[in-house]
């Protein structure tokens, strides 16, 4: 028997966790409308402007401007099952929000970057622990060193 004969149809077990990354304008936010659930059961946490591509839908979009906003959302999501999909748009900008707060708290930039990485991991873990489907959007930037 061939190893390929052992392939079976996949069975969905547990929530889906998806990361979509790409360059600006690639359609990452627009793709949210293709999630396999009614639009009113999708919550978009907009850490950056650009959710205009969803303006003709019924998808709820919540602006996120601080880590405190995210904490408040996590608390409410733990108590509510209203949303089947949680979308973070974008993980890149979320990291920037955290970094800005860490730079204010740490005069040493190296400490700020280390603290940012730790806090972002904790935030991601908090959303994954909700047991909901998550879609994470991230920018794909290319920085070129001038040297």
């Amino acid at each position: 028997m061939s190893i390929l004969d052992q392939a079976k149809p996949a069975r969905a077990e547990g929530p889906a966790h998806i990361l979509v990354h790409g360059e600006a304008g690639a359609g990452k936010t627009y793709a949210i409308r293709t999630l396999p659930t009614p639009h009113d059961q999708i919550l978009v946490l907009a850490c950056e402007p650009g959710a205009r591509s969803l303006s003709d839908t019924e998808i709820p979009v919540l602006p996120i401007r601080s880590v405190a906003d995210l904490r408040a959302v996590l608390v409410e999501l733990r108590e509510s099952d209203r949303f089947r999909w949680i979308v973070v748009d974008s993980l890149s900008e979320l990291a920037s929000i955290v970094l800005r707060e860490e730079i204010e708290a740490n005069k040493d930039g190296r400490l700020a970057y280390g603290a940012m990485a730790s806090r972002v991991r904790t935030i991601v873990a908090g959303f994954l622990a909700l047991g909901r489907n998550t879609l994470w959007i991230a920018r794909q930037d290319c920085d070129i060193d001038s040297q």
Side-chain angles (χ1 to χ4, degrees):
M1 174 191 263
S2 163
I3 188 76
L4 298 177
D5 292 333
Q6 297 176 32
K8 304 274 188 270
R11 301 286 181 244
E13 296 179 17
H17 303 297
I18 302 168
L19 172 67
V20 175
H21 70 94
E23 296 177 3
K28 302 177 299 292
T29 301
Y30 188 86
I32 295 168
R33 57 180 69 224
T34 67
L35 291 173
T37 195
H39 285 176
D40 64 346
Q41 294 177 11
I42 301 169
L43 175 62
V44 176
L45 304 177
C47 299
E48 65 181 13
R52 284 177 294 204
S53 62
L54 301 175
S55 63
D56 63 337
T57 71
E58 296 299 317
I59 298 173
V61 177
L62 180 63
I64 300 296
R65 301 292 174 244
S66 67
V67 174
D69 290 348
L70 282 168
R71 280 193 206 108
V73 169
L74 269 171
V75 167
E76 289 198 34
L77 287 173
R78 286 184 191 117
E79 299 170 1
S80 169
D81 61 355
R82 176 177 165 196
F83 299 106
R84 293 181 56 203
W85 279 89
I86 311 300
V87 179
V88 176
D89 186 7
S90 81
L91 187 57
S92 310
E93 189 58 30
L94 168 62
S96 295
I97 290 169
V98 173
L99 181 59
R100 280 192 300 272
E101 291 184 14
E102 286 300 327
I103 286 173
E104 289 177 14
N106 292 293
K107 300 306 175 205
D108 184 338
R110 295 169 297 178
L111 292 176
Y113 275 91
M116 178 268 300
S118 177
R119 285 179 74 189
V120 168
R121 280 192 303 272
T122 301
I123 290 166
V124 169
F127 279 98
L128 296 179
L130 291 172
R132 314 273 176 82
N133 300 306
T134 56
L135 173 62
W136 304 85
I137 296 174
R139 287 189 319 261
Q140 177 180 326
D141 293 333
C142 181
D143 292 333
I144 299 174
D145 191 351
S146 61
Q147 297 180 354

